[in-house]
Amino acid sequence: MKLSLHARHEQHLALTPQMQQTIRLLHLSATELENDLTKAADENPLLELEARPIDESSISEHASSQDPYKNSWSGGRLAVGDDDDLGEGYERGAQKQSLLQYLQEQINLFTISEKEKGLISYLAGCLDERGYLPESLEELEPDVEDLLDPINGSTLEQLSRALRLLQSLDPIGIGARDLSECLLIQIRNQLQQPDEKYSLWQIAGTIAKDHLTKVAQRDWTKLRKACESSESEIFQAVELIRGLHPIPAAGFEAEDEQWVIPEVIVKLKKGIWIVESNPAAQTRISLNQEYLKILKEHDSLKAGGSLHQKMQEARWLIKNVKQREETIFRVANAIVARQQNFFSKGKIGMNPLVLKEIAEELGFHESTISRVTNQKYLSCPFGIIEFKFFFSHHLASSHGETISSTAVQALITKIVNTEPPKKPISDNNIAKLLEDQGYVIARRTVTKYREAMRIPVAHLRKS
C-alpha cells in the first residue's frame, strides 16, 4: 500500500465560546436568563447583578399565556363514543412527581449517548398537559441544532428516533401527536403480549388508525365493511378501545407554576400599534466598579492572569445580554408591524407569517428567529402572548389573497359558537360558509382544524 499526502480545502463554521454564549442566551426565557445571570454573578466577582423589580401587572402565569383565544371546547376531551362511557376509569393514581420528572428518570436509564438523551428530554419538555406532542417534528427542527450528532443522520431522522424512544416510555401513549396515535401506541403494546383477544386488538388497531369518526357516529355498518369483521367483533374491539387511556398524562402533578415576564409591551399610539421595552424584563448587569477599582490599583488585571480572564468573560456576558435584548426587540417590532390587524381585530385579523419572512427582513438565520420566538412574550390588550403564536401558514382565498391558518381557525370557531344548538353545522357546510366569504378551504382541512381546537363533531355538539 502506497502512502501519500494530499492538501484539501474545507470550509466549516467553528463557533467561538462567545458565539456559543450568544446562541445560548437567545434560547433562554426572561426568567431562565435571570437565573443564569445570578449564577454567573456568584461565580464571577467582577459582575454585579441588580435584582429585578417585581411588578405583578407585567407578569403572568405560564399556563395562561400560551393562547388567549382558547375556545369553550378546549378543556374537553375527544371521545370515541358517548362521553359517559369515558372518563373516570382512565384516572391514574396520584403521583408525587411531575410527568416530566417521571419521564426523565426513565430517559436516564437508556444506554444511548448524552446527545440522544438530551433530544428525548427536549421532546418530553414539549408535551402538553395531556402528554401529547402538539407540534410537528418539522416545526421543532430549528430548536434542536445544539442537541444533534452530526454523524447520526439528518435532523428529522434523529428527532424521529428520539420520538419513538419517548413513545416507548411509561405511561403508554405518551408522546402521541393526536388521539389516534395515542390509542395505537397502547394497542401495539397489547399486541406484543399475545392473548386470546389478539385478533380483537388487531381490529381495534384498524379502527383507531382510520375509523374513530365512524365510532363517534355509531356507523356500525361502515365499520363492519371497513374492518371486514362481524358486528360482534366490532363491538368488542370498540370496548377494548374504550378501556384505553386517551389522556396519558392524567393523574400526574402539574409542573410548579412558572411566571413569565413579557419582553416587550405593545401599545396603540396615534392609530398604530408600537413596541416598547418592558422595564421589568430588562436585566441590570454590569461590572462591579468598586471591585474593579481595587484590582486596578493593585495591578491585578494584567494579561494572562485569572482575573484578566474573569474580566473578559464579564465583558462578553454583558455585551451578549445587550445583544439579546436588541435582537428580541427587533424581532418583536417586525412581528407587530406585520400583525397590526391582529391587535385591532383579534385572531380573525391575523396575517399569514412564517419565520423565513422575518429572518429575511432582519438579515438573520431562520434558526435565530426560531430561538427568539420560543419562550419570549409580549404584553398587549389581549393578554400575554408568546411570540411564536403570531406565525401561521398561508392559505389562498378566491380573490387571490392569502389568509393565515390561525384566522381560518378563528372563523371556524366563530361559526361553531353561533350555530343553532339544535342543528349544529357539519364540516362540509362550514367549508361552504367559508367559501361564501371568499376562502376556499377543503372539508378535510376544516376537520383537521376543528379537531386541533378540540371541537367535537357536529352531532356531538347537538343539544
Side-chain angles (χ1 to χ4, degrees), residues 308-323:
H308 180 267
Q309 179 65 26
K310 290 288 185 184
M311 171 63 74
Q312 288 293 93
E313 291 174 0
R315 284 175 172 160
W316 281 350
L317 182 59
I318 293 169
K319 179 182 177 181
N320 285 333
V321 168
K322 183 67 175 175
Q323 183 177 333

Side-chain angles (χ1 to χ4, degrees), residues 255-413:
E255 292 290 318
D256 293 338
E257 282 188 354
Q258 298 179 32
W259 295 86
V260 296
I261 303 172
E263 306 280 351
V264 297
I265 300 170
V266 180
K267 296 180 178 179
L268 183 64
K269 286 192 176 181
K270 297 181 180 179
I272 298 176
W273 293 96
I274 63 165
V275 174
E276 293 182 356
S277 294
N278 180 13
Q282 292 178 347
T283 304
R284 297 167 176 82
I285 189 166
S286 59
L287 292 174
N288 187 317
Q289 295 301 318
E290 186 175 344
Y291 202 173
L292 187 61
K293 182 180 177 181
I294 295 173
L295 293 174
K296 283 182 176 179
E297 289 175 351
H298 290 79
D299 197 25
S300 301
L301 293 175
K302 57 180 67 176
S306 60
L307 287 175
H308 180 267
Q309 179 65 26
K310 290 288 185 184
M311 171 63 74
Q312 288 293 93
E313 291 174 0
R315 284 175 172 160
W316 281 350
L317 182 59
I318 293 169
K319 179 182 177 181
N320 285 333
V321 168
K322 183 67 175 175
Q323 183 177 333
R324 174 188 181 276
E325 291 178 352
E326 291 174 352
T327 301
I328 291 173
F329 189 81
R330 289 183 65 195
V331 172
N333 255 320
I335 291 173
V336 172
R338 289 171 176 259
Q339 297 293 6
Q340 291 284 309
N341 284 338
F342 166 82
F343 296 103
S344 299
K345 302 176 183 177
K347 221 173 180 183
I348 289 178
M350 184 82 83
N351 290 321
L353 182 63
V354 293
L355 295 174
K356 185 178 180 181
E357 295 176 54
I358 300 296
E360 290 177 348
E361 178 182 333
L362 300 181
F364 291 136
H365 192 275
E366 200 169 327
S367 64
T368 300
I369 304 301
S370 176
R371 289 188 181 94
V372 172
T373 56
N374 189 40
Q375 297 188 81
K376 312 300 184 301
Y377 301 81
L378 61 79
S379 176
C380 69
F382 292 120
I384 294 180
I385 308 174
E386 192 172 10
F387 283 15
K388 68 180 180 181
F389 171 79
F390 296 94
F391 293 84
S392 58
H393 298 296
H394 300 65
L395 293 171
S397 74
S398 59
H399 308 302
E401 302 171 346
T402 57
I403 184 174
S404 75
S405 56
T406 303
V408 171
Q409 291 180 45
L411 289 170
I412 293 172
T413 301

Side-chain angles (χ1 to χ4, degrees), residues 412-451:
I412 293 172
T413 301
K414 184 177 180 181
I415 291 171
V416 170
N417 287 342
T418 57
E419 68 187 3
K422 294 184 178 180
K423 194 175 181 181
I425 304 172
S426 67
D427 292 350
N428 194 50
N429 285 332
I430 289 176
K432 289 178 181 178
L433 289 173
L434 290 173
E435 185 176 355
D436 292 340
Q437 298 179 48
Y439 306 113
V440 183
I441 310 297
R443 193 271 313 157
R444 63 180 178 276
T445 304
V446 171
T447 301
K448 173 185 172 183
Y449 289 160
R450 175 182 56 71
E451 291 177 347

Side-chain angles (χ1 to χ4, degrees), residues 71 73-74 76-79 130 132 177-180 212-214 216 409 412 427 443-457 461:
N71 58 65
W73 299 106
S74 62
R77 64 175 184 271
L78 290 175
R130 301 168 297 163
Y132 287 15
R177 268 74 61 91
D178 52 36
L179 175 63
S180 175
L212 285 179
T213 303
K214 293 184 180 68
Q409 291 180 45
I412 293 172
D427 292 350
R443 193 271 313 157
R444 63 180 178 276
T445 304
V446 171
T447 301
K448 173 185 172 183
Y449 289 160
R450 175 182 56 71
E451 291 177 347
M453 293 184 288
R454 305 186 207 176
I455 299 176
V457 294
R461 302 197 302 268

Side-chain angles (χ1 to χ4, degrees), residues 152-173:
N152 208 15
S154 68
T155 303
L156 196 56
E157 287 172 342
Q158 293 187 54
L159 275 171
S160 297
R161 282 196 296 271
L163 181 59
R164 284 196 296 272
L165 287 171
L166 176 63
Q167 291 178 344
S168 71
L169 301 179
D170 183 70
I172 304 300

